[in-house]
Amino acid sequence: MAKDKIAYVCSNCGQESAKWIGKCPSCGQWNTFKEIRIAADTGSIAAKNAAQVLRRTNGHSHTPMLLKNVSAHDEPRIDMHDGEFNRVLGGGLVPGSIVLLGGEPGIGKSTLTLQTILKMKDRRILYVSGEESAHQLKMRADRLSTEQSDNVQVLCENSLEDIFDCIKEVKPELVIIDSIQTIATSDVDSSAGSITQVRECAAALLRFAKSSATPVILIGHINKEGSLAGPKILEHIVDTVIQFEGDQHYMYRILRSIKNRFGSTSELGIYEMQQNGLREVSNPSELLLTQDHEGLSGIAISSAIEGVRPFLVETQALVSSAAYGTPQRSATGFDQRRLNMLLAVLEKRVGFKLMQKDVFLNIAGGLRVTDMAMDLSVIAAVLSSNVDTAIEPGWCMAGEVGLSGEVRPVDRIEQRVAEAEKLGFHHMIIPHYNLKGFNHSKYKIELVPVRKVEEALRALFD
């Protein structure tokens, strides 16, 4: 009988080593190697377990084909009956795909998944829960939906072998695993959630999904650094990685695609957390804008784009005298390094002295925005708070700011202008270069083109 062996695996990238190493040679991280015990032939055990289930629909050919002879038809999609979920997946769930849904504890991953499958009344679904009892799931389902069909079956189990036995009996059309860190196989001598267990269980579920054309959704935890827990190879194994994020103190949740083999990673889904579940937000601009900010300084409205959706974001800034020797720079929902760069531009190119001032920046609604077109609104909000002068209502802006103080063009300017006009804004500051090839005669909103930051500030405060 073969003996178990000891190995060391990097918790960040999954690199294996026969001995402990201080610095991972693959990803360069320090002190990430963890000791694991590998049972004999563990690499093939997971595949054997899955192979017993998937033989019923295995029609794949094992002979090579010429690339030109491969049909390029679009993959059929499974409707999730959720517009935001479908958008992030690229049009729906692809049969045989494996999706990893990650997020912080309590953010609403299980709620989103259970709410979605309760709407899919035309599919036979198996929900495997390793964290909650059937009674807890029933209570949540009653809160989410009053009408429940008989197509969803629940299995509260942590053993991978028992899960495959149930799949073999039920023959579901969609499998939910909540969560992958709680599932373990008896053939690996380690606790659930360890690097080896997560890797082996994910590999077995991947083989089952690909060979049986049954989609699998894995719910995963994230660690304190904000990345998905477990080995990095878990993200490489799956077809789609979706992050469910948001501030628990706010009602908004963002469904963001990080990796998608069947669609774009620029898609974004927005939900509003309510007592009876998550509500799809079709027009996020109306929710992200505060209606009573008239006369308040330090507030600027920007027309931003996240993914392919334009929406207006309220940027809030507070500038005050530094109470201590070193001034504070704090940003919520915005890159703090970029904030420091914009403050340097404001001081060097425009002439406003902010070295002895505390600067606090916040994106209203708990949203995190990465669009470069927010630069102009950040500078406007900071200056508005510094001089304690409010920006007139009805003004919004979009523009990237360069190190020399110039306002650089932004993409999809027509969508930004149309969104601002739809919400009743009558003035919009845009980069001068964006006027080229842009038919602005069809819009009623007045466009103010600027080349430098000084021109934008003069238009706002003169």
Side-chain angles (χ1 to χ4, degrees), residues 361-380:
L361 186 73
N362 177 50
I363 305 300
L367 192 67
R368 179 164 186 84
V369 183
T370 58
D371 190 5
M372 295 294 184
M374 293 283 297
D375 291 354
L376 208 54
S377 67
V378 170
I379 284 183

Side-chain angles (χ1 to χ4, degrees), residues 331-378:
T332 303
F334 191 77
D335 188 3
Q336 185 166 343
R337 292 174 298 181
R338 190 154 189 88
L339 172 63
N340 294 332
M341 185 270 287
L342 294 175
L343 294 178
V345 171
L346 195 58
E347 183 163 344
K348 178 73 174 179
R349 304 299 180 185
V350 187
F352 286 90
K353 303 302 180 182
L354 299 171
M355 292 183 61
Q356 302 303 321
K357 299 290 185 70
D358 291 337
V359 179
F360 304 94
L361 186 73
N362 177 50
I363 305 300
L367 192 67
R368 179 164 186 84
V369 183
T370 58
D371 190 5
M372 295 294 184
M374 293 283 297
D375 291 354
L376 208 54
S377 67
V378 170

Side-chain angles (χ1 to χ4, degrees), residues 392 457-462:
E392 292 184 11
L457 299 180
R458 195 177 301 115
L460 288 172
F461 299 104
D462 282 356

Side-chain angles (χ1 to χ4, degrees), residues 26-94:
S26 177
C27 63
Q29 297 294 319
W30 286 89
N31 298 324
T32 55
F33 274 88
K34 308 296 182 183
E35 178 182 323
I36 62 172
R37 184 180 299 274
I38 302 177
D41 297 330
T42 54
S44 60
I45 288 173
K48 292 176 182 177
N49 291 335
Q52 297 175 359
V53 184
L54 50 85
R55 285 174 183 159
R56 54 186 168 88
T57 56
N58 189 359
H60 295 285
S61 173
H62 297 282
T63 58
M65 297 176 60
L66 290 173
L67 182 60
K68 65 178 182 180
N69 294 335
V70 178
S71 61
H73 63 276
D74 294 334
E75 293 285 345
R77 302 277 181 163
I78 298 175
D79 185 12
M80 303 295 290
H81 299 279
D82 186 316
E84 302 295 306
F85 213 150
N86 283 335
R87 178 186 290 110
V88 175
L89 289 173
L93 190 62
V94 177

